Amino acid sequence: MLGKILVIFLLFSARPAFAMMKPGMRAPDFTIEAAQGGKEFQFTLSEALKKGPVVLYFYPKSFTSVCTVEAHEFAEAMEQFSAMKTQVIGVSADKIETQKEFSLKECRNKFPVGADEKLKLIESYDAAFEAPIIGRIFADRISYVISPDGKIVSAVKDSGAHRHIENALEIVRNLQKTPNPN
């Protein structure tokens, strides 16, 4: 209980450490320890982009209220994302053991979540939250849509869950309508 109270306090007293990345920027490639359906594996952005767009979303802490709602909403939307050949991955600073359980229970086996305990990926995407005195300890709630050419086409920062899913679906639909210049 004390741990949850501390997380809530830090969420409301924290401030972003960086400005988020902007559309048009090249998305940093990465490989991260991830879990889907309770099973651990390596997720590599460049490999995922070969199949289509990727929605990369960062969230503060698995099993907290808004993060759980966000995972449920992404899980409910996965049929739509899959139909558009789009992969979704959530990332937090939680340990892989936590992500295995979160992927099974809250992501409902529909999409993977990555474990970034040292915040390297979180910082490379300008998604770190900085708490007073403590420093950077978890991710801000930021979502990116990355096109198959590796460019960020959308970036959303919002403390609620709904806007991230709605925006990502709209952006991916628009990508489907846009002719490929190659």
Side-chain angles (χ1 to χ4, degrees):
M1 180 67 171
L2 183 59
K4 285 186 179 184
I5 292 170
L6 178 61
V7 167
I8 291 168
F9 168 76
L10 291 173
L11 281 172
F12 289 106
S13 65
R15 62 187 187 283
F18 304 102
M20 66 184 179
M21 295 181 74
K22 305 290 183 225
M25 294 175 80
R26 176 142 312 275
D29 193 18
F30 64 88
T31 298
I32 191 168
E33 196 173 18
Q36 183 170 354
K39 293 183 175 49
E40 196 174 328
F41 72 101
Q42 297 290 307
F43 181 96
T44 301
L45 178 63
S46 57
E47 289 301 311
L49 290 172
K50 290 177 183 177
K51 300 172 187 169
V54 171
V55 176
L56 169 62
Y57 82 93
F58 295 96
Y59 63 97
K61 184 100 177 105
S62 295
F63 295 107
T64 56
S65 61
V66 178
C67 297
T68 297
V69 167
E70 188 172 31
H72 290 176
E73 290 187 12
F74 268 116
E76 289 170 13
M78 280 312 298
E79 191 172 300
Q80 294 173 70
F81 284 118
S82 295
M84 295 184 284
K85 296 180 175 43
T86 301
Q87 294 183 58
V88 171
I89 181 167
V91 175
S92 74
D94 290 297
K95 296 179 180 187
I96 191 63
E97 293 78 22
T98 302
Q99 299 303 58
K100 287 163 67 171
E101 185 179 355
F102 193 68
S103 73
L104 188 62
K105 291 180 178 176
E106 308 304 348
C107 302
R108 301 179 177 151
N109 303 328
K110 302 281 186 171
F111 65 92
V113 284
D116 188 21
E117 286 184 74
K118 297 187 190 265
L119 284 80
K120 289 184 184 223
L121 178 59
I122 292 166
E123 288 179 347
S124 75
Y125 275 83
D126 294 338
F129 238 58
E130 189 168 323
I133 302 169
I134 300 172
R136 296 179 192 141
I137 56 171
F138 47 81
D140 198 351
R141 191 174 314 283
I142 295 175
S143 61
Y144 295 103
V145 178
I146 305 167
S147 64
D149 68 357
K151 296 240 173 114
I152 293 172
V153 292
S154 174
V156 171
K157 178 181 173 184
D158 193 303
S159 60
H162 311 296
R163 186 164 169 233
H164 295 279
I165 293 87
E166 292 168 357
N167 179 74
L169 283 168
E170 180 183 342
I171 296 296
V172 173
R173 281 187 198 106
N174 289 338
L175 281 175
Q176 302 291 310
K177 295 176 190 174
T178 306
N180 187 345
N182 295 331

